[in-house]
Amino acid sequence: MPNGIVSVPSISAVVTPLLVLVCTVFGPGLLNVAPTPYLAIALSLGYLDRLGPWSWAALFPNLYLFACLTVGTGLAYAGMLQEAVWDNTLLAAPFLVGVGVALVNLIPLWIHLAWQRRFLPQERFQNGAWALLATLVAPSVWVALFTIVYAVSPIGSYGSIAYTQFQLEPIVQWASVAGIAGIEFFMVWASVILYRTWVRHVRLESTEVDNNNWSEIGVQTHRFRLRAFRRLLFAPTPTFLFVTLFIFLFGSMRFWNATGTFYMKPLDDTITPTVQASCIIGANAPEYTDLPGYLNKTVDFANKGSKIIIWSETAVNINNTQQLDSLWATARNISSTYRIYFGITYSQYLDEQLVKNKNMFTLFGPNGQVAFEYQKVHPVILVEPDTIPGPNHLPVADSEYGRLGGAICFDVDFPNFIAQAGDQKVDILLQPSWTWGSIGRLEATIQSYRAVEQGLTLFRCGSWAPSTVWDPYHQLFGYKYNLGSGDFTADIPVRKHVPTVYNSVGNLWAYICCAVSIVFLILVVVPKRLVDRWSEAAEGRILRRSGSRDGSSGSSLPVTSDEAVHGAGHA
């Protein structure tokens, strides 16, 4: 430093990243608090914005924020691999995940600020199309990056900020239109607007009303009214509030009209028929497997009226062909005798050392025939290293209760895979599951979004996790915690597959964000002279159009970066 002076960080420069750390701990991890992702993004954006344009002096503050995001994410998922007894050696994985998540979280904010400094060097809080566009940079890039992450990640969409909104039903319903990408876009956009509003109205850095446009007697001229209307039409905050209102209206109406109660229909006209279904919980451990007990419980529930009975994931282990044939023969007999749909789950070992295995789910119909045989497609990384992935195909079987589909546990964390259920018009998706430690509740939360996205009813049979029934409108028909034993019975609504926009267009919104992000990135990284030349040409065309209409000149386009520097020099 000049003259030997050492710069001391301000209190806000130290505290803000620590607040981001706290918000991240309670964000998209095992301890979800709905508002915290908004605060984390807004605080991060504000912190980076105060650093000013990129310089070597800003390197350490950026690394400090990066470290806080990494630690916050690591703490949020610290229990991801933990079981009943805490093992500190398993803490490395969550913090390594935190490094990647922190980097992906910061890139959209860096690009957002670069765009803002290049295209809005003055009047940063002006209204108009450019100001609105500036608020859409971070949401678009965020969705684009995480779309790529979810496509290649071995843990699927696990960790999406969209899942923190689980308790806000109108927002969850938006998944039926744009998937979790639509929810993520809304959340990041809200965070940008939150920071913009804070700076403008609390710190009073700028105003948006130009009093010179008023006539002497305080009456607006026609030109001002037209300009004000245009600015309001593209004003970031009013536009965001309008979109928010639409999302909440749509979500609320979709949720409350799930049973067809609109408008004031009698109760007996809105009751949905149901089918009784039962879940039998296995221990997922060879030393605690109780095959005779599971079979006896199956018969007992069949006698009590259950028409669909499934076991939790890998309830039993199969070591050879003889054991498999015996289990299948027993399952055939039970399903045909009691006229039920009976789903058995098992680990089928393929070698004498009992290491390599297939995670299987076989459903038998009331005639004793195999309705479908399914092998888990996405074994859990680190937890199932010796499980062989199955074919990338979701099975279906038609029944008198609708079209049944099957997927095992972690498979449902992959929206692109479960899209097959929507494409095949599955009515009820049967999901045997097993989790561990503290992640069971989060997994049940994540997987409920698939019911909304694909318009189906999800019957989750979970060991060491909640067993649940979610319908296409995110209404809960059953919820019960089970450890390594027990059972769960619920009445599943019998309704046809509900068409959704998301099921029809898939990840269209995410792909649009990817395309737009490429444009944003190009405009940020290309030399300034090229961008300024393009801006001048665009401004000239608009001026000529404006002049031909009303004989006046003027432009709502922001000044270019070179013009801003030139003007500052004269000032």
Side-chain angles (χ1 to χ4, degrees), residues 205-421:
E205 288 190 1
S206 176
T207 60
E208 294 184 357
V209 177
D210 183 2
N211 292 327
N212 293 330
N213 288 306
W214 290 78
S215 67
E216 293 182 0
I217 59 175
V219 179
Q220 299 177 15
T221 64
H222 172 73
R223 183 182 302 171
F224 173 79
R225 289 196 298 268
L226 182 60
R227 185 179 302 174
F229 173 77
R230 290 175 179 173
R231 295 176 69 184
L232 182 62
L233 180 64
F234 294 105
T237 302
T239 302
F240 169 76
L241 293 177
F242 176 79
V243 172
T244 301
L245 178 62
F246 176 80
I247 289 175
F248 272 74
L249 283 173
F250 169 83
S252 298
M253 293 180 66
R254 187 178 191 274
F255 180 79
W256 288 113
N257 196 41
T259 55
T261 56
F262 188 84
Y263 173 73
M264 297 187 183
K265 291 184 178 179
L267 182 61
D268 55 351
D269 290 341
T270 63
I271 295 177
T272 303
T274 60
V275 56
Q276 183 175 308
S278 294
C279 156
I280 296 171
I281 307 300
N284 192 258
E287 60 271 27
Y288 298 113
T289 295
D290 181 16
L291 177 56
Y294 303 154
L295 294 172
N296 289 336
K297 280 189 174 182
T298 301
V299 172
D300 184 47
F301 280 119
N303 283 323
K304 292 179 179 178
S306 291
K307 299 300 182 182
I308 301 174
I309 302 175
I310 63 175
W311 294 352
S312 64
E313 182 182 3
T314 56
V316 297
N317 295 324
I318 300 298
N319 302 335
N320 52 57
T321 305
Q322 291 76 19
Q323 289 182 354
L324 180 62
D325 291 342
S326 175
L327 178 61
W328 274 37
T330 304
R332 289 180 190 275
N333 182 52
I334 292 175
S335 63
S336 60
T337 301
Y338 296 95
R339 306 294 297 171
I340 63 171
Y341 287 89
F342 179 26
I344 59 174
T345 61
Y346 48 93
S347 290
Q348 183 179 353
Y349 287 96
L350 306 176
D351 53 21
E352 295 180 356
Q353 292 75 29
L354 303 183
V355 177
K356 294 296 182 181
N357 66 88
K358 296 191 295 184
N359 189 332
M360 303 298 297
F361 172 32
T362 302
L363 182 71
F364 294 88
N367 57 2
Q369 300 301 310
V370 174
F372 61 69
E373 184 181 8
Y374 174 70
Q375 181 181 350
K376 188 175 185 179
V377 177
H378 297 99
V380 182
I381 186 173
L382 300 180
V383 178
E384 298 177 296
D386 299 312
T387 300
I388 300 172
N392 190 38
H393 175 70
L394 190 144
V396 298
D398 290 322
S399 75
E400 57 265 46
Y401 312 113
R403 177 164 290 180
L404 307 179
I408 298 177
C409 195
F410 201 52
D411 291 337
V412 187
D413 282 14
F414 293 78
N416 291 340
F417 174 70
I418 298 302
Q420 296 182 45

Side-chain angles (χ1 to χ4, degrees), residues 38 43 76 89 109 131 143 174 197 213 313 410 441 452 531 545:
Y38 301 91
L43 289 169
T89 62
L109 306 187
V143 170
W174 192 241
T197 303
N213 288 306
E313 182 182 3
F410 201 52
R441 180 191 62 83
V452 178
V531 178
R545 291 179 184 175

Side-chain angles (χ1 to χ4, degrees), residues 33 41 107 159-160 164-165 171 186 193 208 282 288 297 343 362 385-386 403 454 499 514 536 569:
V33 179
I41 296 170
I107 290 175
S160 169
T164 63
Q165 307 303 291
I171 295 181
F186 169 79
I193 295 296
E208 294 184 357
Y288 298 113
K297 280 189 174 182
T362 302
D386 299 312
R403 177 164 290 180
Q454 302 302 331
C514 290
E536 291 170 0

